[in-house]
Structure formats: structure tokens, C-alpha cells
């Protein structure tokens, strides 16, 4: 359904290995999008429930930024409260 909106994983290098940081960010982004969509939330709704800025959600879902530990905790708590 929303697979085309999920960030792609970076391609492998000449040795067949994917860059670790970029791959981790893309995996996190994909999981975040899937959980948010499963909850039926917009980025704005998730941001409000987690107490973070919409820009933070957008950046994380774009796979371009690494979240702070505190942000991960806030997001996880919001999802747990919704049972997602």
C-alpha cells in the first residue's frame, strides 16, 4: 500500500556491503513509517502525541537523520499507548 513511500536502502559498495549508518537510518525510517501508518496517524498527530516537532518526524522518516535517544523513547511511548 505505502511501499513506494518508504525510503530505499542504500546500494551495496563494490564489496557487496551496504553503508552501516545510512542503512540503519533507512531501516529506522521504514519502521517508523509503518508504525505510524498502522496507528492511522499523520506525521502531525505522531509529533503531537510524542511531544516532538513535525520536522523531527519528517527528517526521521526521510532517513536522513539519526534520532536522539530521548526522541526514540518519546516515539516508542506514543506508539505503546496506542497499542502499536
Amino acid at each position: 500500500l505505502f511501499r513506494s513511500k518508504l525510503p530505499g536502502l542504500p546500494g551495496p559498495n563494490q564489496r557487496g556491503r551496504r553503508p552501516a549508518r545510512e542503512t540503519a537510518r533507512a531501516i529506522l525510517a521504514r519502521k517508523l513509517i509503518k508504525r505510524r501508518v498502522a496507528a492511522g496517524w499523520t506525521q502531525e498527530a505522531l509529533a503531537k502525541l510524542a511531544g516532538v516537532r513535525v520536522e523531527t518526524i519528517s527528517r526521521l522518516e526521510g532517513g536522513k537523520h539519526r534520532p536522539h535517544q530521548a526522541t526514540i523513547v518519546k516515539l516508542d511511548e506514543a506508539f505503546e499507548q496506542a497499542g502499536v
Side-chain angles (χ1 to χ4, degrees):
L1 175 68
F2 55 87
R3 290 194 191 284
S4 62
K5 296 180 183 180
L6 295 176
L9 297 174
N13 62 18
Q14 294 175 346
R15 298 170 74 185
R17 297 183 181 145
R18 297 181 189 274
R21 287 186 183 134
E22 291 84 358
T23 301
R25 288 179 188 151
I27 290 170
L28 175 75
R30 294 164 71 96
K31 287 182 178 185
L32 180 59
I33 292 167
K34 288 177 182 180
R35 286 182 86 181
R36 180 178 60 77
V37 170
W41 296 337
T42 61
Q43 288 184 347
E44 292 81 8
L46 175 56
K48 184 176 181 178
L49 291 166
V52 299
R53 296 175 34 197
V54 175
E55 292 83 359
T56 300
I57 303 300
S58 178
R59 289 181 187 133
L60 293 176
E61 287 189 0
K64 303 296 181 197
H65 295 274
R66 188 184 94 202
H68 292 101
Q69 181 66 29
T71 303
I72 293 172
V73 170
K74 289 177 182 181
L75 293 169
D76 197 47
E77 287 174 352
F79 285 124
E80 284 182 8
Q81 288 178 2
V84 180

